Amino acid sequence: MSVESDLKKDGIEMTEKLHTLQINSMARNISLGICNTFPKYALNQNELFIKLSRLNMYKAKMPDRNGRG
């Protein structure tokens, strides 16, 4: 079963693939945040950035779980 069909079962719909610059910006912020939050693990921020930046990332519509609208 594909990731997309698993997401649809939960009411999540992928709407747009993110561009490389968007992914790199997010990967940089996430890798810095993780390394700063968990310094005792001595994570390599550059390696983490590279792994995150190679992921496919998408914008998605999420279901309203609050019962509003």
Side-chain angles (χ1 to χ4, degrees), residues 13-42:
E13 177 188 347
M14 292 187 300
T15 59
E16 176 184 344
K17 186 173 181 173
L18 296 180
H19 298 284
T20 302
L21 291 176
Q22 293 169 306
I23 292 171
N24 287 344
S25 177
M26 288 179 58
R28 181 178 38 84
N29 292 332
I30 292 166
S31 62
L32 282 170
I34 289 173
C35 290
N36 290 337
T37 302
F38 302 103
K40 72 177 184 177
Y41 293 108

Side-chain angles (χ1 to χ4, degrees), residues 20-67:
T20 302
L21 291 176
Q22 293 169 306
I23 292 171
N24 287 344
S25 177
M26 288 179 58
R28 181 178 38 84
N29 292 332
I30 292 166
S31 62
L32 282 170
I34 289 173
C35 290
N36 290 337
T37 302
F38 302 103
K40 72 177 184 177
Y41 293 108
L43 299 169
N44 184 316
Q45 189 267 325
N46 192 51
E47 285 181 20
L48 188 54
F49 164 78
I50 290 168
K51 290 179 188 225
L52 290 168
S53 68
R54 291 181 179 163
L55 296 172
N56 291 323
M57 297 186 193
Y58 300 86
K59 290 183 181 179
K61 273 191 206 175
M62 304 292 286
D64 184 2
R65 303 270 186 200
N66 296 322

Side-chain angles (χ1 to χ4, degrees), residues 1-14 63 65:
M1 187 171 281
S2 74
V3 172
E4 190 170 354
S5 61
D6 285 342
L7 293 172
K8 280 190 178 189
K9 283 195 298 187
D10 291 324
I12 301 169
E13 177 188 347
M14 292 187 300
R65 303 270 186 200

